[in-house]
Amino acid sequence: MRSLANIFWLAGKELKSVLGDPVMVILILWSFGFAVMLEASGAGDTVYNAAIAVLDEDNSSLTRQLTDALGPPWFQPPGAIAPDRVMPEMDAGRIMFVLSFPPGFEADVIAGLRPAAQLEVDATAVSQAQLGTDYIANILTSETRAFLYGSPDAPEPALRLELRRAFNPNGNPVWFKAVSSLLNQLSLLTIALTGAAMLREREQGTIEHLMVMPLTPLEIAFSKVLANVVVVLAAFTLSLLFVVQQALQVPVTGSIPLLLAGTAVYLAAAAAIGMFLGTMARSMAQFALLVIMVIIPIIMLSGGQGAIESQPDIVQRLTLALPSRHFLAFAKAVVIRGAGPGAVWLELSLMAGLGIAFFTASLLLFRRSMSLSN
């Protein structure tokens, strides 16, 4: 009972320290407010508002129909371009795509000769160039069918692929990116706040005061983890309710209490990592470098920037030791697929197990540093 009281008062001290720092409060509000919105709604895996020009040397009804189909939201309204302006405009970066129709294009299509239209692409942005090429090819195919047969789906091929999207019918990338952005902010803030709290005690000299008090290293360490988990979890909850659901219009199909419970488990694991780094570092400069070394793999290899399956086999095995990988899988399942506890118990167990392992390692290091200080 006395240990619980000690942890309660120490956690209260940490909460006052964090909430009493205006810069820290602004950072938390920015991270779970504007940063989540910017990352989730920024440029992503779809083509949007790409610059395109058309060199129409046929000037037929078919080429005009094809040109009109290349419009917003994927492309800017296509403009006509002269042959001698194609390369200068692309060299200047003002146009990404130039579509050229040769003379007699419509007549050859009607005659069934399958004429070629030339597409020149600025492949500086590789993914956008590839996606835009696919978009243009699909648009030209469907519009040509509509011109010849009156329907973009005719004539029917021998095999027709019917696309049915599960869980995200419109293929809106904001849904996934919002969850990934929340993970990034959770990881960065929790690790930074917990580690900075450990260093602040050492730099301000209050660690000596704690050492002469009837407190155990477990109570000191657990109170710091608890205080930062409470602060970040509260910010996460507000961001989920007002930024993700209201501003970004991302539906949470699963249980919000389950999501918050899993988030608390992940925050405890991330706080343990931050405490380990804060105990190992001897200055804020060292801690900042350690955070950079740790947070980049956590963000890049968790599955938010690219599918886990696309990573090399050895990297996939290494990511099993990252709580962030399991949290993202858990959050996607709950938020997008509406999964219940029976479907995500493994991710919760792995996050809890990794959190206990990191907390034990950080506690041992903290005890060692305190004994050396004595």
Side-chain angles (χ1 to χ4, degrees):
M1 190 67 183
R2 181 178 178 181
S3 295
L4 293 177
N6 291 338
I7 292 173
F8 174 79
W9 291 113
L10 287 172
K13 179 183 75 71
E14 291 297 327
L15 285 173
K16 290 180 181 180
S17 177
V18 173
L19 298 179
D21 188 345
V23 176
M24 196 64 69
V25 173
I26 292 173
L27 175 62
I28 294 173
L29 294 176
W30 167 265
S31 298
F32 284 101
F34 294 103
V36 171
M37 292 186 63
L38 292 174
E39 186 174 350
S41 58
D45 299 330
T46 58
V47 176
Y48 180 78
N49 203 37
I52 185 170
V54 175
L55 175 57
D56 189 356
E57 297 182 301
D58 188 37
N59 197 27
S60 61
S61 59
L62 173 58
T63 57
R64 287 192 293 271
Q65 178 178 334
L66 295 174
T67 300
D68 293 339
L70 300 170
W74 304 289
F75 304 97
Q76 298 176 13
I81 190 171
D84 59 343
R85 295 300 306 165
V86 173
M87 293 312 300
E89 293 295 317
M90 296 191 73
D91 289 343
R94 288 188 285 268
I95 296 177
M96 178 173 285
F97 303 97
V98 175
L99 181 61
S100 302
F101 295 110
F105 181 82
E106 180 185 80
D108 290 342
V109 169
I110 294 174
L113 299 179
R114 302 178 64 86
Q118 177 176 280
L119 179 64
E120 298 179 75
V121 183
D122 178 3
T124 304
V126 178
S127 61
Q128 294 289 294
Q130 181 60 51
L131 289 170
T133 301
D134 295 339
Y135 281 27
I136 293 172
N138 291 333
I139 291 172
L140 294 185
T141 300
S142 62
E143 290 297 324
T144 302
R145 285 175 177 171
F147 176 81
L148 291 175
Y149 307 107
S151 171
D153 297 322
E156 291 290 336
L159 175 64
R160 181 173 182 176
L161 180 65
E162 291 288 347
L163 178 61
R164 297 289 186 270
R165 288 191 176 96
F167 311 117
N168 190 351
N170 294 326
N172 189 348
V174 174
W175 291 15
F176 173 75
K177 290 167 67 179
V179 177
S180 176
S181 178
L182 283 175
L183 168 63
N184 296 342
Q185 306 306 325
L186 285 172
S187 304
L188 179 59
L189 277 180
T190 307
I191 292 175
L193 287 176
T194 310
M198 299 296 296
L199 279 171
R200 186 167 56 245
E201 299 283 7
R202 184 181 297 117
E203 291 184 346
Q204 294 178 354
T206 53
I207 189 67
E208 286 80 6
H209 298 167
L210 295 175
M211 290 168 57
V212 299
M213 296 176 69
L215 300 172
T216 64
L218 176 62
E219 294 170 353
I220 297 174
F222 191 78
S223 65
K224 295 186 180 300
V225 171
L226 178 62
N228 288 284
V229 166
V230 169
V231 171
V232 179
L233 183 61
F236 171 85
T237 305
L238 294 175
S239 179
L240 179 69
L241 296 176
F242 297 105
V243 177
V244 174
Q245 289 188 288
Q246 298 297 324
L248 297 175
Q249 296 295 306
V250 177
V252 179
T253 58
S255 169
I256 291 182
L258 175 62
L259 178 62
L260 296 180
T263 304
V265 174
Y266 173 70
L267 287 176
I273 296 175
M275 188 174 69
F276 182 84
L277 298 180
T279 306
M280 187 166 52
R282 289 291 174 261
S283 66
M284 279 295 181
Q286 288 184 3
F287 176 69
L289 292 175
L290 289 173
V291 168
I292 293 174
M293 293 172 59
V294 171
I295 202 66
I296 290 178
I298 286 178
I299 291 176
M300 298 296 294
L301 303 179
S302 64
Q305 304 295 323
I308 295 292
E309 293 76 12
S310 65
Q311 299 170 2
D313 290 340
I314 187 172
V315 177
Q316 292 186 39
R317 296 188 181 97
L318 291 175
T319 58
L320 291 173
L322 295 177
S324 57
R325 169 182 173 172
H326 307 297
F327 175 75
L328 185 59
F330 160 82
K332 287 191 300 181
V334 174
V335 173
I336 300 177
R337 296 199 296 270
V344 296
W345 67 268
L346 179 59
E347 284 76 15
L348 288 172
S349 301
L350 289 171
M351 284 191 293
L354 290 171
I356 293 173
F358 285 123
F359 184 79
T360 302
S362 60
L363 183 60
L364 292 175
L365 184 61
F366 182 54
R367 280 177 171 170
R368 181 175 178 272
S369 65
M370 289 184 68
S371 62
L372 290 177
S373 300
N374 288 329

